[in-house]
Amino acid sequence: MDKTKIEYQEVCYTPYVAEPLFSERDVNFSLCRDGESPRPVRLSFIVFAEDKDGEWEDDAPIGECYATVLGENDDDIVEPVKIYNLGISASDFVTIVRSDSKSTVFRIFWPYGTVDIENANRTEEGLEISKTDLGTGEHINCTLTPKDSDHSFNLTLQLPVFGFSIRDIDGNIVNDMLEINEEELAKYEYVFAGTENDDRITIHSDADHITYKYVWNQEGYITVRNMADINVIVDKVPLRGNLAQLLLGSEYVRGLMQFSSEIPAKENIAFVIKQKDQRWRIKVSSSVEEHSDDVTLLVPTELCKDVLEKLINLPVGSNSNELINELMKKQDQSVFQWLWLHENDWAYDKLEEHFNTLVDPEMEMMKRALVFNDFDNFMHRLRLASLDDRSPIQADALLARNAKRKIIRVKTLIQEHNSGVSSLWSLQREERMKILYYWRNFHSSFE
């Protein structure tokens, strides 16, 4: 079917309304046919109607309506396009009176009917929407009803909001308390729209008792500084993003959890965000799940088989570093270190049967040897990554001194494992957690 296409000029847009607004002097119509380039059409060949099945007229009615190109013959059908004709210029429709960290006040001018705004209160200054209802300024519904008509229609207002705000997974504003799983941090959004008089927030963690100052920057980012050493920029985060970014990354949060407990699966940590007189308290729980005793034991050769299969099935052109990152996450999930593997755990004679199911049996012996050699090199890279696995938060000298006896015990367990006296793989999950805790948070003690 032929289609009507409309192109709007810049004056048809306003930053406060999501939809472009029709103005007959500032639009261009085209007729689109399959397999042909759009053909410009003069306004005199355009007709309008309140709905697709209504009576077509030469002039656009006020409100939501449709426009279509006249067909060359009476039987020609051209699909119309929806337009919004307010009868005024787009720039006159919404005027912002003021906007601050508490609310936004604005005026609506539309002499052709009535306007109803969700959650807006009428004041002497104009219509006011509180920050709680406004959120990030998105999806504020505006219902317009033309005079002498029951044909209401909706426009989406995009009003500015200043200050700091958080939205949950469903887009609702979080005003005070939030309890969230570590894996869900990336699903919660924040916005920091600062001003010269409202340009900072602080975030405090009960795990390391460090307070960070976040300062809004006109260049489009937030600088993060440790209040204990205010001259040093710790990080830069975007003005709009998810809570994992705001809290300096998932690795940092996970490190805080390990810092607060040797068994992170049983521990929560809390953050307090302050902006002037407003507070957000965010409790984050670990994503590590507890397992029953009968499934806690790990078999190193089975782990090696899993790596071999993932590596051989890696799509052509893929970066093996991405696979290493994926496998490093498996350490947290299953509570072990790739470092605990010995070369003998992935020896060819142990993996030969599994290897034969993954490669072409007709492949030349030399090529098969090269494939396994690549796997051997990959395993060494994986062990090196595990060797350098550490928390972004490292224990200070006092904590290391207080934990000296436990660190020595963990060192002994690792040494006995490396010498073949005992095996870390046989330890229960809780014991392995303690080893990972001291290795990652007191890393320098093992170097």
Side-chain angles (χ1 to χ4, degrees):
M1 179 186 292
D2 297 342
K3 297 181 180 180
T4 304
K5 179 182 178 182
I6 183 171
E7 294 181 355
Y8 294 93
Q9 296 185 30
E10 190 65 29
V11 294
C12 296
Y13 294 88
T14 167
Y16 310 125
V17 180
E19 298 83 3
L21 303 178
F22 176 76
S23 169
E24 64 178 26
R25 292 177 299 179
D26 303 304
V27 298
N28 297 309
F29 286 98
S30 300
L31 175 63
C32 298
R33 285 179 169 153
D34 292 340
E36 298 181 9
S37 299
R39 190 180 72 189
V41 176
R42 289 186 306 207
L43 187 62
S44 57
F45 289 92
I46 303 297
V47 290
F48 306 88
E50 281 195 354
D51 56 65
K52 292 181 179 180
D53 299 323
E55 185 176 345
W56 296 94
E57 301 176 353
D58 292 334
D59 298 317
I62 295 294
E64 178 188 272
C65 56
Y66 291 85
T68 188
V69 178
L70 284 172
E72 295 180 357
N73 303 306
D74 292 341
D75 295 334
D76 289 347
I77 299 176
V78 181
E79 184 177 335
V81 62
K82 182 189 290 186
I83 62 174
Y84 297 95
N85 178 31
L86 298 189
I88 59 174
S89 64
S91 59
D92 291 337
F93 181 50
V94 180
T95 304
I96 302 299
V97 177
R98 62 172 175 81
S99 187
D100 54 38
S101 61
K102 293 183 177 180
S103 65
T104 294
V105 178
F106 61 101
R107 292 195 180 100
I108 293 285
F109 172 70
W110 194 53
Y112 298 103
T114 59
V115 180
D116 182 49
I117 310 290
E118 267 185 342
N119 301 317
N121 298 315
R122 295 189 180 276
T123 68
E124 292 183 358
E125 293 180 285
L127 295 166
E128 182 177 27
I129 294 184
S130 68
K131 177 183 173 181
T132 301
D133 294 325
L134 187 59
T136 58
E138 300 169 351
H139 310 304
I140 302 301
N141 190 52
C142 172
T143 303
L144 299 91
T145 306
K147 294 177 180 177
D148 303 322
S149 173
D150 296 327
H151 188 64
S152 297
F153 63 99
N154 298 318
L155 293 176
T156 306
L157 299 188
Q158 301 175 142
L159 304 178
V161 61
F162 293 99
F164 180 80
S165 60
I166 298 175
R167 279 183 181 270
D168 64 17
I169 295 175
D170 298 320
N172 301 314
I173 292 296
V174 176
N175 292 316
D176 40 36
M177 181 69 73
L178 175 61
E179 296 186 7
I180 183 175
N181 184 282
E182 171 206 340
E183 290 185 342
E184 295 178 328
L185 284 172
K187 299 178 182 179
Y188 284 69
E189 301 292 327
Y190 75 89
V191 175
F192 190 12
T195 66
E196 292 183 358
N197 299 320
D198 186 7
D199 65 349
R200 61 200 59 200
I201 62 174
T202 61
I203 301 181
H204 176 83
S205 162
D206 68 348
D208 58 3
H209 303 290
I210 293 177
T211 301
Y212 291 101
K213 181 169 75 171
Y214 290 63
V215 181
W216 171 82
N217 189 297
Q218 290 184 346
E219 295 180 7
Y221 59 86
I222 305 167
T223 56
V224 184
R225 301 174 186 267
N226 187 334
M227 294 290 282
D229 191 2
I230 203 67
N231 293 321
V232 178
I233 295 178
V234 175
D235 201 356
K236 294 180 180 180
V237 298
L239 299 179
R240 177 191 293 258
N242 62 62
L243 283 186
Q245 293 173 290
L246 185 71
L247 300 178
L248 305 183
S250 298
E251 276 296 312
Y252 181 78
V253 175
R254 193 172 299 118
L256 285 177
M257 288 178 169
Q258 291 190 339
F259 221 83
S260 62
S261 172
E262 292 180 4
I263 308 176
K266 298 180 180 178
E267 190 68 24
N268 296 336
I269 58 174
F271 296 90
V272 177
I273 303 176
K274 299 180 181 179
Q275 182 201 26
K276 293 190 173 180
D277 59 350
Q278 191 165 3
R279 303 288 184 270
W280 293 263
R281 290 172 173 81
I282 304 175
K283 292 184 178 181
V284 183
S285 60
S286 174
S287 60
V288 178
E289 298 179 356
E290 292 186 79
H291 294 260
S292 58
D293 291 341
D294 61 341
V295 292
T296 56
L297 300 182
L298 297 169
V299 181
T301 302
E302 293 301 318
L303 290 170
C304 294
K305 287 181 179 179
D306 182 58
V307 176
L308 175 62
E309 187 168 350
K310 289 181 182 296
L311 184 64
I312 288 180
N313 291 320
L314 203 63
V316 177
S318 298
N319 190 336
S320 60
N321 289 330
E322 295 179 1
L323 179 56
I324 286 182
N325 292 335
E326 176 188 333
L327 293 170
M328 289 297 291
K329 292 178 181 178
K330 185 177 177 64
Q331 289 191 147
D332 288 338
Q333 296 167 353
S334 299
V335 190
F336 72 95
Q337 284 187 287
W338 295 107
L339 179 61
W340 300 350
L341 292 172
H342 299 145
E343 286 191 12
N344 186 54
D345 291 324
W346 69 81
Y348 183 80
D349 60 337
K350 288 190 176 182
L351 302 182
E352 181 178 7
E353 184 177 345
H354 187 63
F355 182 72
N356 289 335
T357 66
L358 298 174
V359 300
D360 184 356
E362 302 297 327
M363 184 184 292
E364 297 176 8
M365 291 301 297
M366 181 61 71
K367 290 183 178 179
R368 292 168 66 89
L370 289 174
V371 171
F372 198 84
N373 185 62
D374 288 342
F375 167 66
D376 180 70
N377 291 333
F378 182 84
M379 292 304 297
H380 283 289
R381 287 172 55 201
L382 185 58
R383 290 183 80 252
L384 285 174
S386 183
L387 178 66
D388 194 43
D389 182 37
R390 67 187 73 190
S391 168
I393 309 163
Q394 287 295 297
D396 57 25
L398 177 59
L399 285 172
R401 191 160 55 247
N402 292 339
K404 184 176 180 180
R405 294 180 61 184
K406 294 181 178 179
I407 293 172
I408 291 175
R409 179 179 178 275
V410 171
K411 278 185 174 181
T412 302
L413 288 172
I414 293 175
Q415 289 169 357
E416 290 177 350
H417 172 81
N418 290 335
S419 62
V421 174
S422 61
S423 173
L424 296 177
W425 303 109
S426 64
L427 298 177
Q428 298 298 318
R429 184 183 180 89
E430 186 170 314
E431 285 298 310
R432 300 200 308 271
M433 273 186 167
K434 291 179 180 179
I435 294 175
L436 262 65
Y437 168 77
Y438 287 106
W439 174 272
R440 298 192 79 236
N441 295 290
F442 299 81
H443 199 272
S444 61
S445 300
F446 295 87
E447 294 176 345

